[in-house]
Amino acid sequence: MFRIAAGLPPFVSLIPARGKVGTSVGILGQGFSTATAVSFNGAPASHTVVSDTFLTALVPADSTNGTVTVKVAAGVLDTSTQFDVIPIETGFSPLNGTVGTQVTIKGGGFLGTRKIAFGGTKAAAFTVVSGSEIMATVPVGAVTGKIAITTAGGTATAGTFTVD
């Protein structure tokens, strides 16, 4: 029997390194049998310990791109690479309206939203209410088409908004 003690700290690795809100992500590491918390760039995530070296966690709605942290009895373990959160849209209301109409968009991964577009036309005004809700105003020049939500992690498209 041989044992190598290289003095390396425990590590955390992600499978995959990017995903949508609600996706189950596999996490490889050490000492996970004592895991008490997992967070995606500070946003708490529900997790399941599978073994001492593997656990799964669901990407939370309020997460943003950044490191994933696992709290274990020996301390806190961080990923050495960033996890990218892909936004997801689950619905919006109203389904139609005129220029100036306030539209509520539901989903996840919305913190850090960079742009909202209605049928390809960028909205001049929008407010990120939470990681799972955005309020946007239908812009001048908007045409009937998809609503696109763009964040640092990617773009989500909602169903078709009809401009009256």
Side-chain angles (χ1 to χ4, degrees):
M1 278 287 219
F2 288 96
R3 180 172 183 224
I4 297 175
L8 298 174
F11 66 93
V12 175
S13 183
L14 303 169
I15 307 168
R18 90 184 246 119
K20 294 181 179 181
V21 167
T23 299
S24 180
V25 175
I27 303 174
L28 296 168
Q30 302 172 27
F32 289 168
S33 60
T34 64
T36 58
V38 175
S39 63
F40 285 71
N41 204 23
S46 63
H47 70 280
T48 302
V49 174
V50 177
S51 72
D52 192 53
T53 58
F54 185 72
L55 61 81
T56 60
L58 296 178
V59 180
D62 287 338
S63 59
T64 56
N65 296 354
T67 59
V68 175
T69 301
V70 179
K71 184 177 180 184
V72 295
V76 176
L77 307 174
D78 292 319
T79 56
S80 59
T81 58
Q82 173 175 292
F83 182 83
D84 291 328
V85 179
I86 302 168
I88 184 170
E89 179 277 329
T90 58
F92 62 91
S93 66
L95 300 177
N96 64 299
T98 59
V99 168
T101 299
Q102 285 285 319
V103 178
T104 301
I105 305 165
K106 299 284 187 173
F110 293 161
L111 295 179
T113 294
R114 296 177 174 177
K115 180 175 115 176
I116 304 288
F118 288 81
T121 303
K122 183 179 176 181
F126 67 88
T127 302
V128 178
V129 178
S130 69
S132 58
E133 182 178 331
I134 296 173
M135 297 290 295
T137 304
V138 178
V140 172
V143 296
T144 296
K146 302 277 186 190
I147 298 175
I149 303 105
T150 302
T151 70
T155 300
T157 54
T160 300
F161 181 85
T162 303
V163 178
D164 296 332

